[in-house]
Amino acid sequence: MSQADLISPFRFLAHLPQHLPRVPRMLRGLYYAGIRNREKNLSLAWALQRAAERYPERPALMDENRHLNYRAFNAWANRLAWAFKAEGVGHGDVVAVMLENRLELLTILAALSKLGAVGALINTTQRGKVLAHSFNLVKPGFLVIGDELLSAFDEVDGQLHDQQARRYWIADQDCLQGAGQTPDGWTNLMQLATGQAEDNPPDSLRVRMKDACFLIYTSGTTGLPKASIMSHGKWIKAYGGFGHSGLTLSERDVLYLTLPCYHNNAVTVCWSAVLAGGAAIALRRRFSASAFWSDVARYNATCFGYIGELCRYLLNQPVHPAEQGNSLRCMIGNGLRPSIWAEFKQRFGVQQITEFYASSEGNIGFTNVFNFDNTVGYTPATYAIVRYDLENDRPMRGNNGFLQKADKGEAGLLISEISAKWPFDGYTDPAKSESVILRDVFKQGDAWFNTGDLMRDIGCKHAQFVDRLGDTFRWKGENVSTTEVENVLGAFPGVEDAVVYGVEIAGTNGRCGMAALRLASAYALDGAALDGAALAAHLDTELPAYAAPLFVRLLGEVETTGTFKYKKTDLKQAGYDPNLVDDPLYVRLPGSDSFQPLSRETHAAIEQQHYRF
């Protein structure tokens, strides 16, 4: 961590005057984020209705071919809500929704919210047993499937436990009026909605903050996905924190959204921020780095929703004519790495980066409200960063039996207190929910949510993300953050993607670092070129010896989840064994100042402990 990242009270106060015009919106945001009464009738449906009343003629949703203002969007959602209600969908009913990013998806979710029904957002990239698991896990009574994903659904249809669930089909085209040939055994949802009333159903007035809004699936980087509960209360907190306090978008703004809408970053973070100010969403089915700046120009977008890796993809693109003098002024998302933060702002002229930290299942969120660099920002929630024993994989308790708070700047486990103001909704599986609750933390009987993430306090209630616990390993008696090592590798010429993980060496304690790298084509001659001496020198300059990876694997492509998280499990299992890996492997042997190709003979010598690592 750079000393420049620390935020002193003086630096914080000096930063405040530029934010004075935003104070009224920020205070409104704090109000929504701090509501304790979970019986209160506030919801996504309320937020949409409010936006439609305040900005009826302003753009709400758009794509390449369609533009809907708030009046039309709300009316369409209401017609769908009445159609769902006539089909028996009611408060608390689970409706599995599987569509790609298009206007129909957001309208269906809005309609369900008006009835207090729960949209289970199926990951559109899942196939086979994982997809069947996601459906069966939440026991939906109703299924809404887009035609573009019908073949994927058909593959697992026979594995679904409830064959009686009502099935609704959506054409893969402009289907406001229910166009398209409906498959046998399915009901055309848009045809059902044709002619329905356009007034808000009274059910929406009874949706409370404690009610479930979405079921969001974990990305399944390890094991089968789990479904976490996103309540309307958490959505409203996002509406306050991201919408009013964070971005403060207005009806003149357009947020360009390419993130998958089965993920909270899209349907909670970005959508709530848009509805809070009556802004518009310009929706694209999937991210395209080459089309990004042309789309920004087409929509005159002022903001976009990001994941850190998307920012790296954009930086790796050659200069695009449309990026010069572009209309973007702000962005919201998470995972922007410190190694590219300043470069991204400077190259693309983005003034405000609203980096945040949150999780689908958790009860805490940080937002970079004050636009500092390299921070997830501030939170009003009650939290602590406590010391963690990586070797034994548990929080450290003192002689009194309670947890110990980490010092300022020291990496530790982030935990957040579970209370009436900051409730924990958890997962659909109660046992899984209980497994992430820490009890008797600072006093007998208290309960805190274990985020599983390492953070550091950088001052003035601001924090900096360090790593996921599973992505941190211990080598030479020291704790190593994979994220920090990935940042260093990302700054090495030619590295487009860097995935770092710990691997075991026979006869040693702990795990040493290994990096899977994807090189830019200009650097990857014959798919196997690596300047081993230059890479070793770079690591020696930027990292302590214990943190520098000892093994390197070159990848043609880096496999990620639908939300751009690295899939590390298979990489860890294969390790540096040439018998399990077809990609080029390199090793830095003890005493060497360079990485050399790792042969089967060298691997055997390592396994026989001929080298002293």
Side-chain angles (χ1 to χ4, degrees):
M1 179 190 66
S2 167
Q3 285 296 114
D5 292 339
L6 292 174
I7 302 173
S8 66
F10 176 79
R11 184 184 172 205
F12 181 77
L13 291 172
H15 205 70
L16 288 182
Q18 63 185 281
H19 299 285
L20 287 177
R22 300 170 54 225
V23 167
R25 285 284 299 272
M26 292 169 73
L27 292 176
R28 193 181 314 163
L30 286 174
Y31 163 74
Y32 287 120
I35 294 175
R36 294 185 182 215
N37 180 12
R38 303 193 78 210
E39 299 290 337
K40 197 171 181 67
N41 297 117
L42 287 177
S43 63
L44 189 162
W46 165 85
L48 174 57
Q49 185 72 17
R50 179 178 182 272
E53 292 168 354
R54 291 169 65 96
Y55 314 104
E57 305 304 324
R58 296 298 302 172
L61 292 180
M62 59 183 81
D63 62 14
E64 291 182 3
N65 303 308
R66 296 176 288 176
H67 287 68
L68 291 178
N69 62 25
Y70 270 100
R71 186 196 308 278
F73 175 34
N74 192 52
W76 188 12
N78 284 338
R79 291 196 300 273
L80 281 166
W82 285 107
F84 274 127
K85 185 172 183 177
E87 289 292 294
V89 177
H91 193 104
D93 286 337
V94 175
V95 181
V97 181
M98 189 178 179
L99 286 86
E100 291 183 346
N101 273 20
R102 47 192 178 109
L103 307 194
E104 288 78 10
L105 175 56
L106 293 182
T107 312
I108 288 166
L109 296 179
L112 294 175
S113 76
K114 289 171 179 281
L115 300 176
V118 188
L121 298 175
I122 303 296
N123 184 324
T124 59
T125 68
Q126 291 177 352
R127 297 294 184 270
K129 69 174 185 179
V130 176
L131 179 59
H133 164 82
S134 292
F135 279 108
N136 291 329
L137 180 65
V138 298
K139 303 178 177 65
F142 306 84
L143 309 175
V144 180
I145 311 294
D147 189 64
E148 69 275 19
L149 293 162
L150 192 59
S151 61
F153 176 84
D154 287 343
E155 290 176 4
V156 302
D157 189 356
Q159 302 174 45
L160 301 192
H161 296 163
D162 184 4
Q163 291 292 320
Q164 304 306 311
R166 305 285 294 273
R167 300 179 176 204
Y168 303 92
W169 172 85
I170 311 289
D172 188 13
Q173 55 186 291
D174 182 356
C175 52
L176 273 165
Q177 303 304 319
Q181 182 62 44
T182 309
D184 292 340
W186 293 80
T187 300
N188 189 318
L189 180 61
M190 295 302 164
Q191 284 182 357
L192 288 182
T194 302
Q196 293 284 353
E198 295 187 348
D199 56 315
N200 208 43
D203 309 68
S204 66
L205 300 176
R206 296 189 287 273
V207 182
R208 298 158 297 182
M209 292 181 70
K210 73 177 184 180
D211 295 329
C213 181
F214 306 130
L215 296 179
I216 304 286
Y217 293 85
T218 61
S219 52
T221 52
T222 57
L224 291 171
K226 297 172 284 291
S228 60
I229 302 167
M230 170 57 60
S231 67
H232 284 277
K234 287 170 69 175
W235 195 95
I236 288 294
K237 287 180 186 295
Y239 176 85
F242 301 128
H244 287 297
S245 294
L247 274 184
T248 60
L249 298 179
S250 75
E251 71 273 18
R252 295 178 297 278
D253 285 305
V254 176
L255 187 149
Y256 178 51
L257 182 59
T258 69
L259 301 174
C261 285
Y262 55 75
H263 194 267
N264 256 333
N265 281 28
V267 293
T268 297
V269 176
C270 291
W271 199 8
S272 70
V274 162
L275 287 179
I281 285 180
L283 196 61
R284 185 181 176 91
R285 289 227 180 178
R286 55 185 65 85
F287 173 78
S288 167
S290 60
F292 184 88
W293 294 110
S294 298
D295 279 355
V296 167
R298 174 189 294 116
Y299 299 117
N300 197 29
T302 54
C303 183
F304 80 102
Y306 71 88
I307 294 287
E309 288 312 301
L310 301 192
C311 299
R312 178 175 290 282
Y313 299 156
L314 291 175
L315 277 175
N316 287 340
Q317 289 288 305
V319 174
H320 190 287
E323 80 179 58
Q324 307 298 319
N326 67 77
S327 55
L328 290 177
R329 64 172 179 83
C330 60
M331 52 198 270
I332 186 166
N334 62 351
L336 182 60
R337 299 185 178 192
S339 60
I340 65 171
W341 189 298
E343 181 185 0
F344 193 92
K345 285 181 74 173
Q346 183 175 4
R347 174 174 167 180
F348 301 125
V350 178
Q351 303 163 20
Q352 178 185 350
I353 297 180
T354 307
E355 175 88 0
F356 72 87
Y357 167 86
S359 63
S360 301
E361 70 278 12
N363 67 335
I364 186 171
F366 288 78
T367 311
N368 191 16
V369 172
F370 300 106
N371 200 25
F372 285 104
D373 289 338
N374 300 327
T375 176
V376 297
Y378 160 88
T379 181
T382 305
Y383 75 95
I385 297 174
V386 298
R387 292 189 170 126
Y388 195 84
D389 181 353
L390 283 170
E391 204 154 15
N392 294 299
D393 195 25
R394 64 189 180 197
M396 295 173 64
R397 292 186 181 264
N399 294 332
N400 59 4
F402 298 130
L403 300 193
Q404 303 172 315
K405 291 186 178 181
D407 294 331
K408 182 177 178 180
E410 177 187 0
L413 173 67
L414 174 70
I415 61 175
S416 54
E417 187 172 25
I418 300 171
S419 64
K421 187 174 182 179
W422 304 102
F424 173 61
D425 295 313
Y427 301 93
T428 53
D429 180 354
K432 175 61 180 173
S433 296
E434 182 61 32
S435 71
V436 295
I437 296 176
L438 294 170
R439 301 190 183 277
D440 302 328
V441 171
F442 297 118
K443 61 182 180 182
Q444 292 294 329
D446 64 357
W448 294 65
F449 169 61
N450 177 357
T451 66
D453 291 322
L454 295 178
M455 296 276 230
R456 58 168 62 95
D457 175 13
I458 60 173
C460 297
K461 285 208 83 174
H462 280 64
Q464 190 175 74
F465 181 80
V466 176
D467 222 336
R468 291 286 302 170
L469 269 177
D471 291 336
T472 302
F473 57 89
R474 192 170 178 84
W475 180 243
K476 301 296 184 183
E478 301 285 351
N479 301 328
V480 181
S481 161
T482 60
T483 300
E484 293 185 350
V485 179
E486 286 165 358
N487 288 340
V488 169
L489 286 165
F492 183 70
V495 172
E496 295 219 354
D497 283 296
V499 189
V500 175
Y501 43 97
V503 292
E504 293 184 83
I505 299 177
T508 65
N509 294 321
R511 296 173 183 268
C512 75
M514 181 168 181
L517 305 179
R518 182 174 72 89
L519 302 181
S521 56
Y523 291 83
L525 303 175
D526 299 324
L530 180 73
D531 189 336
L535 177 59
H538 174 74
L539 294 173
D540 288 346
T541 301
E542 299 294 332
L543 291 171
Y546 64 82
L550 299 181
F551 297 93
V552 169
R553 174 178 176 177
L554 295 188
L555 300 175
E557 293 294 332
V558 175
E559 190 178 6
T560 62
T561 68
T563 51
F564 307 100
K565 295 177 181 176
Y566 293 131
K567 290 187 174 181
K568 297 187 179 183
T569 303
D570 291 344
L571 294 173
K572 290 178 181 177
Q573 289 175 348
Y576 54 90
D577 187 346
N579 299 301
L580 302 176
V581 177
D582 293 329
D583 301 312
L585 291 169
Y586 293 82
V587 61
R588 187 177 183 181
L589 294 172
S592 174
D593 58 2
S594 179
F595 285 87
Q596 67 181 53
L598 176 58
S599 64
R600 283 182 168 82
E601 292 74 21
T602 304
H603 175 263
I606 293 171
E607 291 296 289
Q608 293 163 17
Q609 303 178 34
H610 291 174
Y611 297 98
R612 300 178 65 85
F613 285 93

